[in-house]
Amino acid sequence: MEIVATLRQLQQAHDPLIITFHERNQRFQSYLIEVDRDRSRLTLDEMIPSDGERYLLNGETFRIEAFHEGVRVAWECPQAVQITEHQGARCYLSPMPDQVHYHQRRNAFRAQLKLTEQIKVELAGTRLKSPLSGQMLDISATGCKLRIPVDVTQRLQTGQVYERFTAELPFGAMTTSVELRHMQYEEKLDATFVGLRFHRLSGLEQRQVERFVYQLQREARRTEGDGLF
């Protein structure tokens, strides 16, 4: 019952699933269409990119990972899946997992930035035809959240690593690679909110991030009496 409830949270929130095949580096994205407790099976949406389907046809085992409100949910799929259709679209039927890893990862202090001090950022890499500019909304030792004007969800892919993420920190620009963990377009605001995880930070970059987070943490403690944090 706990497994079904957890998976239904992913389905209802339309959280993206990151699919990886064993001994392969490429990542694929899908979504949970249905969690069928009676039949003990899951219905997964068509994978993006679609060439991952050939690994399914080969009967290769894979792993699924997702994030729901900061909690990491992951499980193994050692059994073959059935390729079929759901409402005229491609989908996959997978057995219900008998074990799901559920791990709260928000152990790093997440510092929010005030509107007056938001950091300008740029996201670029070989997978992007042109860089995307935006503002940093918060940051921790392990990642950050951005706001990018307009809808850029068609240009980005969850689970993809982008080699050049630049943030104009108060004491100098920092450039590192990042992994896209989640994104959501808010139509009313005409903006895309993007969650990134820092990828293979160097010692210098790690110190830059920790210094900035510590600085924000001190300011937060100083002003928390004003109800800002």
Side-chain angles (χ1 to χ4, degrees):
M1 288 179 64
E2 290 180 11
I3 288 174
V4 169
T6 298
L7 296 179
R8 281 185 177 155
Q9 285 183 328
L10 300 178
Q11 175 197 356
Q12 291 163 4
H14 205 56
D15 292 318
L17 309 180
I18 301 165
I19 296 177
T20 52
F21 290 87
H22 294 290
E23 299 181 2
R24 296 188 184 274
N25 295 326
Q26 193 173 2
R27 292 169 175 243
F28 302 89
Q29 181 177 301
S30 180
Y31 293 91
L32 260 176
I33 296 175
E34 186 179 25
V35 179
D36 191 334
R37 181 183 173 190
D38 295 332
R39 297 183 183 180
S40 191
R41 73 182 187 188
L42 308 176
T43 305
L44 305 174
D45 200 5
E46 183 175 14
M47 279 193 292
I48 304 171
S50 59
D51 57 353
E53 193 170 292
R54 69 174 184 267
Y55 303 141
L56 292 181
L57 292 171
N58 290 342
E60 296 186 29
T61 60
F62 58 96
R63 179 180 181 83
I64 295 179
E65 181 182 45
F67 288 84
H68 180 74
E69 296 182 353
V71 175
R72 176 179 174 270
V73 181
W75 66 97
E76 299 282 345
C77 301
Q79 298 167 285
V81 303
Q82 179 185 345
I83 300 175
T84 181
E85 287 193 354
H86 176 80
Q87 297 179 351
R90 200 78 155 173
C91 70
Y92 319 111
L93 301 179
S94 172
M96 184 83 69
D98 54 15
Q99 185 179 33
V100 167
H101 298 278
Y102 185 91
H103 182 48
Q104 171 64 266
R105 301 186 71 179
R106 287 277 177 89
N107 55 346
F109 176 80
R110 186 171 290 272
Q112 296 180 348
L113 282 79
K114 289 178 280 189
L115 292 174
T116 54
E117 62 184 15
Q118 282 179 4
I119 303 300
K120 291 182 179 180
V121 298
E122 184 177 271
L123 186 63
T126 55
R127 297 294 184 108
L128 284 172
K129 290 183 180 178
S130 58
L132 299 175
S133 298
Q135 290 178 314
M136 184 184 292
L137 299 178
D138 68 33
I139 185 171
S140 74
T142 56
C144 62
K145 184 177 180 180
L146 313 181
R147 172 178 173 153
I148 300 175
V150 306
D151 185 359
V152 295
T153 54
Q154 298 302 311
R155 299 176 60 186
L156 299 173
Q157 182 183 331
T158 307
Q160 181 63 51
V161 173
Y162 297 92
E163 303 92 338
R164 296 187 302 281
F165 168 74
T166 303
E168 299 291 339
L169 300 181
F171 35 81
M174 178 194 79
T175 300
T176 186
S177 58
V178 290
E179 181 182 356
L180 180 63
R181 303 305 294 172
H182 59 82
M183 61 179 165
Q184 182 176 353
Y185 174 66
E186 294 288 350
E187 190 173 356
K188 290 182 179 179
L189 302 172
D190 192 24
T192 306
F193 294 86
V194 177
L196 302 175
R197 183 169 69 182
F198 299 129
H199 186 72
R200 297 178 182 171
L201 284 176
S202 69
L204 173 61
E205 293 158 355
Q206 187 71 58
R207 288 191 294 274
Q208 283 181 297
V209 170
E210 290 174 354
R211 177 184 172 189
F212 185 45
V213 171
Y214 178 67
Q215 177 182 316
L216 292 171
Q217 193 171 11
R218 277 193 313 178
E219 292 174 5
R221 286 173 178 160
R222 194 182 313 127
T223 59
E224 63 185 357
D226 300 329
L228 295 175
F229 286 81

